[in-house]
Amino acid sequence: MSKFINPRLGRLETYVPGEQPKDQQYIKLNTNELPYPPSPEVIARVNAAQVADLRLYSDPTCGGLVEKLARQYDVAPENVFVGNGSDEVLNFAFACYCRAGAAFADLTYGFYGVFAELYGIDADIKPLRDDFSIDPADYMNVGKAVVIANPNAPTGLVLPVETIEAIVRSNPDHVVIIDEAYVDFGATSVVPLTKKYENLLVASTFSKSRALAGARVGFGIGNEALIRDLNRIKFTTNPYNINRLSLVAAEAALDSQAYFDEKDRLVAQTRASATAALRALGFETTDSMANFIFAKSDRIGGGDLYRQLKARGILVRHFDTARIKDFVRITVGTPAEMDALLGAINDILNSLD
Ligand SMILES: *Cc1c(COP(=O)(O)O)cnc(C)c1O
């Protein structure tokens, strides 16, 4: 750090992304990417002509993509904001809506706490219950913004739509942000409720269920006044926030949604079979509706399992924090990748005897 940095910024804790080691080829089950490539449509449309057009700025309104998202989610274009990943949507929402503080879980997406610190927001941390479920009462009428990942990460657990609606209804003077990064793997979206409640903002992304993590495209859906707020922050920081190639890729992804729906169903099937196999090996797992499995064994700690899997060329995510240090979070890969994982875990457990 330089001596010139604003001391307040110099003290910030940064978000720690999952590792991307380059020393060898790994089976990568640590950052919840889709194990399948984007659709052929996406690959065909991001072509040489699109690259040649990179001399031109991208569309600052993201007009074409906004139109397609509006059609797909049955809302108006005025209800859609496009961000550089949903991280940017969340960033702008924290900047806009958390003056009175923000309530979120102790175990959830790590960026919420980072954004709260960045903006000097009072974080009202609500511990999950012992079984990692959310207690809805914690979020009723809290007098501040609410941020909930649904499904939650790293647990994969889901709140029913009616529960989210009750939370939204009980906080009419504050924005409730529902982060649906993983909703396409089996949960139900609350986007339809945005027509009914002016204080509901849904954040979502092309990174997980649409295999475009590297393109950095996310979106927010909500009342048109909320969307204008987010655009206000965008146009005071980075008006061309989505690059041309990513806009083309994201539009092509929506034009081939059936391909992704099929891959997401396949991931859900693989999640079910891998979960059953892990349970047969004595693991305890949450009932994840996301594209990852959160699992622990009473025979080996999470950190040890993570290290031994890495030594065998398989990356999973371990969070070294008190409540979940016994767990690993395993992204659902292809059936072959999960077979390799289960074989490696079997070897590791056998070597303990
Ligand atoms: C991955 C993830 C995101 C952000 O993804 P982007 O790549 O920035 O769209 C947001 N929320 C949760 C819970 C995530 O796991």
Side-chain angles (χ1 to χ4, degrees), residues 32 84-88 90 109 112 149 151 153 179 181-182 204-208 213 216-218:
N32 299 343
N84 192 287
S86 54
D87 287 342
E88 190 177 62
L90 295 164
Y109 187 41
Y112 306 156
D179 179 350
Y182 299 106
S204 197
T205 181
F206 285 75
S207 293
K208 312 286 165 54
R216 312 307 304 129
V217 187

Side-chain angles (χ1 to χ4, degrees), residues 54-72:
L54 284 177
R55 71 183 185 82
L56 301 168
Y57 277 107
S58 59
D59 173 6
T61 71
C62 303
L65 180 56
V66 163
E67 288 274 344
K68 283 188 199 291
L69 281 166
R71 219 170 306 138
Q72 172 142 347

Side-chain angles (χ1 to χ4, degrees), residues 39-351:
S39 63
E41 187 92 10
V42 171
I43 291 168
R45 277 209 236 158
V46 182
N47 59 22
Q50 299 295 342
V51 174
D53 277 348
L54 284 177
R55 71 183 185 82
L56 301 168
Y57 277 107
S58 59
D59 173 6
T61 71
C62 303
L65 180 56
V66 163
E67 288 274 344
K68 283 188 199 291
L69 281 166
R71 219 170 306 138
Q72 172 142 347
Y73 286 91
D74 190 29
V75 295
E78 292 72 26
N79 300 119
V80 179
F81 173 79
V82 176
N84 192 287
S86 54
D87 287 342
E88 190 177 62
V89 181
L90 295 164
N91 178 357
F92 291 178
F94 269 84
C96 285
Y97 304 123
C98 301
R99 211 159 60 116
F104 52 88
D106 61 338
L107 301 173
T108 190
Y109 187 41
F111 236 131
Y112 306 156
V114 172
F115 288 137
E117 254 196 77
L118 173 62
Y119 295 113
I121 291 160
D122 176 35
D124 181 5
I125 306 295
K126 307 289 191 186
L128 298 177
R129 297 177 177 130
D130 286 344
D131 65 358
F132 299 140
S133 62
I134 284 173
D135 182 352
D138 285 343
Y139 298 93
M140 298 293 179
N141 192 20
V142 281
K144 62 194 78 171
V146 168
V147 190
I148 295 175
N150 196 54
N152 196 14
T155 63
L157 296 181
V158 166
L159 276 184
V161 169
E162 313 79 68
T163 307
I164 293 174
E165 182 166 12
I167 291 169
V168 172
R169 213 184 307 118
S170 80
N171 291 288
D173 298 325
H174 296 279
V175 174
V176 175
I177 301 160
I178 302 297
D179 179 350
E180 295 192 343
Y182 299 106
V183 79
D184 295 335
F185 298 104
T188 304
S189 173
V190 294
V191 162
L193 294 181
T194 60
K195 296 183 185 191
K196 205 165 150 193
Y197 299 98
E198 63 176 3
N199 63 323
L200 172 60
L201 179 68
V202 178
S204 197
T205 181
F206 285 75
S207 293
K208 312 286 165 54
S209 63
R210 294 184 184 95
L212 288 176
R216 312 307 304 129
V217 187
F219 53 99
I221 297 182
N223 176 275
E224 49 178 285
L226 296 181
I227 300 308
R228 275 197 301 272
D229 298 340
L230 299 178
N231 273 309
R232 171 177 289 274
I233 308 300
K234 160 173 155 164
F235 282 95
T236 52
T237 53
N238 189 10
Y240 307 104
N241 63 336
I242 315 294
N243 73 72
R244 298 183 70 94
L245 300 182
S246 293
L247 283 174
V248 170
E251 288 190 44
L254 293 181
D255 289 341
S256 48
Q257 186 60 45
Y259 167 95
F260 294 100
D261 291 345
E262 189 210 313
K263 296 302 183 225
D264 296 347
R265 267 196 303 276
L266 183 53
V267 165
Q269 276 169 23
T270 310
R271 175 183 70 211
S273 51
T275 300
L278 283 166
R279 287 179 178 164
L281 287 172
F283 279 79
E284 189 186 303
T285 70
T286 56
D287 286 319
S288 172
M289 294 300 272
N291 65 336
F292 51 81
I293 300 167
F294 196 51
K296 81 164 175 182
S297 161
D298 54 15
R299 298 181 58 203
I300 183 167
D304 267 347
L305 181 56
Y306 154 77
R307 280 183 291 276
Q308 295 206 36
L309 283 170
K310 186 171 177 182
R312 286 169 165 79
I314 300 175
L315 292 178
V316 298
R317 189 99 196 243
H318 175 247
F319 298 93
D320 202 6
T321 56
R323 283 188 77 180
I324 53 173
K325 64 174 180 14
D326 294 340
F327 285 79
V328 290
R329 190 196 67 191
I330 304 163
T331 303
V332 177
T334 62
E337 289 173 326
M338 298 317 269
D339 286 346
L341 169 88
L342 290 158
I345 289 179
N346 210 10
D347 284 352
I348 293 166
L349 292 178
N350 286 335
S351 74

